[in-house]
Amino acid sequence: MKSYQADEKGYYGEFGGAFIPEMLYPNTEELRQNYIRIIEDPSFKKEFDLLLKDYVGRPTPLYFAGRLSEKYQTKIYLKREDLCHTGAHKVNNTIGQILMAKKLGKNRIIAETGAGQHGVATATVCALMGIECIVYMGEIDIARQAPNVARMKMLGAEVRPALSGSRTLKDATNEAIRDWINNPVNTHYIIGSVVGPHPYPDMVARFQSVISEEIKWQLLEKEGRENPDYVVACVGGGSNAAGAYYHFLDDEAIGIIAVEAAGKGIHSGKSAATSALGKVGIIHGSKTLLMQTQDGQITEPYSISAGLDYPGVGPMHANLYRSGRGEFISITDDEAMTAGLLVSQFEGIIPAIETSHAFAIFDHKKFKQEDVIVVNLSGRGDKDLQTYIDYFKL
Ligand SMILES: *Cc1c(COP(=O)(O)O)cnc(C)c1O
């Protein structure tokens, strides 16, 4: 049977691998040699599951969205990752990685963050474990994302500004990699999505796969069958989507729908529709699809939602796109904002703007009345309230 999971070298079809400077090799190699053994160790699993339950608040509900279903004449379920501690799915991964770091004997954590959501999720688990935490963040992003900077500081993390280049996410990433090269023995680098060199995409997907693991038994309870007809998720780097798809990937009867940010329009020059616009290249140590100029310089992405504003996409998703296994739909800022308002008023749930993109597909694609569709509700909209206020003049 064809598999859409990573092979042992970290390839998804032609995408993935580990394209890293030689000086980083010992760090990723230590992780590569140990991560599967550790994740599959019963004592690790027990500790991970207990924290997911008591600290994160899992299992998150699978909620039948009655009014949305009626409006769109199909059956829509919402996987409520917005109810996770810290307000989104990201903490599933940071909990997994902090436990991994402990097993590997690391006592110092570094991370990079753009909008600050991953930085907050990392600072949270470092506080939980009493481990030193340094978060690299572009100087421009520090100014733009003041509330998340304050959260990280409150949680005891040090936020170090990246002062080079465009002073945004990719520069913060460069600083984090430099730090890791200089501190290979005591430091673990927590990457926030299914991106980066092998084994990160596969490791992060495994930590997030709890989402589809729960969907299976929850759907069995509610619908008498484990498998939906479609799973829908928004894709920035691709971690919430990877988690929602994970246990459904290799069953081609289940539709995989990936929603990307088209920003002001896919051909407007202001978008983050990475798969549709991307070309094969290397970013963050991984061969994947990324937005770049003719001569291979990475293009600045744009989206109204900070979490989808990433110039690349994880190698799993690049392969889902290229192979045709996944259906990719690009949604503009305006369509996402409209969908976010509609979900708020039909279900009493204000979604993160990232997730609002996923909801906008119902105005693009018609489903059958008996179809069962699971939308991964990746996060709550509290962090986006000001953007909603400005957009709708509330
Ligand atoms: C970070 C974030 C995303 C995008 O990241 P993925 O790795 O693609 O999941 C989506 N939704 C929310 C709420 C986020 O915070």
Side-chain angles (χ1 to χ4, degrees), residues 88-90 117 193 234-240 307-308 352 354-355 378-379:
H89 67 289
K90 285 194 173 72
Q117 295 302 113
S193 189
C234 63
V235 174
S239 68
N240 87 87
L308 302 184
E354 289 85 355
T355 322
S378 57

Side-chain angles (χ1 to χ4, degrees), residues 7 18 23-24 93 96 120 171 182 218 223 291-292 330 334 349 355 357 379:
D7 68 17
M23 282 186 294
L24 208 57
N93 168 49
V120 170
D171 312 289
N182 290 328
Q218 291 173 320
E223 287 287 330
M291 291 168 41
Q292 50 190 306
S330 312
D334 290 336
I349 298 170
T355 322
H357 286 73

